[in-house]
Amino acid sequence: MDRFIIISGCSGGGKSTLLEELARRGFSVIEEPGRRIVAAELAGDGKALPWIDAEAFLRKAIALSLEDLQRARALPGRVFFDRGLLDAASALAAMSGEPVLQQLAGQWQFHAQVFLTPPWPEIYRQDAERQHGLDAAIEEYERLLRDYPALGYKVVELPKVSVGERADLLLDRVAQP
């Protein structure tokens, strides 16, 4: 769906901050499934955490992303996704060798342009929900940089500029036919 727009890229590259800015401007946004899962698992005694059981975590991320997509259908206008279905499927496919990425990509279409935040060491921070280091984040970014074009999406790498400038650039790009 042309109105469903993916913002993906390197962990710690400023995606969530950009989504907050888009929400402030009145757009519908869907928060990153992974962060929501980690928060819920940490609040309980769950084990579906990327550093404990990555496969269980990714399967939960796919399930939550599918729920998000169903809910997003009812939202008006453009809907911006902080990661989501194809990111989780890409990671699971890389880990397990399952053809889950191709299967799910064939069932859901997003805006032709996918916006990626590049590695940005100056703002990267580990925390309770992001325990992996920058090297792992860069490996993830490189996988996404390969997988999205392989699915037919045009990757637009967002520059390392202020959040307002990033939002303006992204909105200008999605407004173009």
Side-chain angles (χ1 to χ4, degrees):
M1 299 182 75
D2 274 356
R3 63 188 198 92
F4 287 4
I5 300 159
I6 298 171
I7 300 173
S8 184
C10 191
S11 293
K15 291 179 300 301
S16 296
T17 303
L18 176 56
L19 271 284
E20 289 170 10
E21 174 66 14
L22 293 168
R24 189 188 67 72
R25 294 184 185 196
F27 291 97
S28 296
V29 300
I30 306 295
E31 294 178 19
E32 179 182 351
R35 283 273 191 178
R36 289 182 279 156
I37 293 165
V38 168
E41 295 291 303
L42 289 174
D45 58 355
K47 303 291 185 236
L49 294 162
W51 54 89
I52 294 175
D53 188 344
E55 187 171 332
F57 167 78
L58 291 168
R59 292 189 189 286
K60 277 192 170 203
I62 289 170
L64 184 55
S65 295
L66 290 169
E67 292 172 16
D68 288 342
L69 284 162
Q70 292 298 336
R71 282 193 306 275
R73 285 181 164 171
L75 297 172
R78 293 189 180 110
V79 180
F80 294 90
F81 290 80
D82 187 345
R83 296 193 180 270
L85 181 65
L86 299 182
D87 279 42
S90 169
L92 183 59
M95 175 184 294
S96 68
E98 294 177 40
V100 64
L101 179 58
Q102 288 73 21
Q103 292 168 349
L104 291 171
Q107 296 172 17
W108 289 92
Q109 284 296 308
F110 298 88
H111 191 281
Q113 297 177 89
V114 172
F115 297 87
L116 297 186
T117 60
W120 197 344
E122 295 80 9
I123 67 169
Y124 183 86
R125 298 287 179 270
Q126 289 176 284
D127 58 32
E129 296 174 2
R130 182 188 298 131
Q131 294 191 8
H132 60 278
L134 182 59
D135 288 345
I138 291 170
E139 286 178 29
E140 171 191 40
Y141 176 77
E142 290 171 352
R143 177 179 37 77
L144 295 170
L145 199 56
R146 178 193 70 235
D147 284 354
Y148 274 111
L151 296 172
Y153 292 96
K154 179 180 181 355
V155 168
V156 176
E157 187 175 77
L158 293 169
K160 297 176 184 177
V161 294
S162 74
V163 66
E165 290 173 291
R166 274 185 164 184
D168 291 343
L169 179 136
L170 187 151
L171 293 171
D172 285 347
R173 290 296 299 258
V174 297
Q176 298 171 8

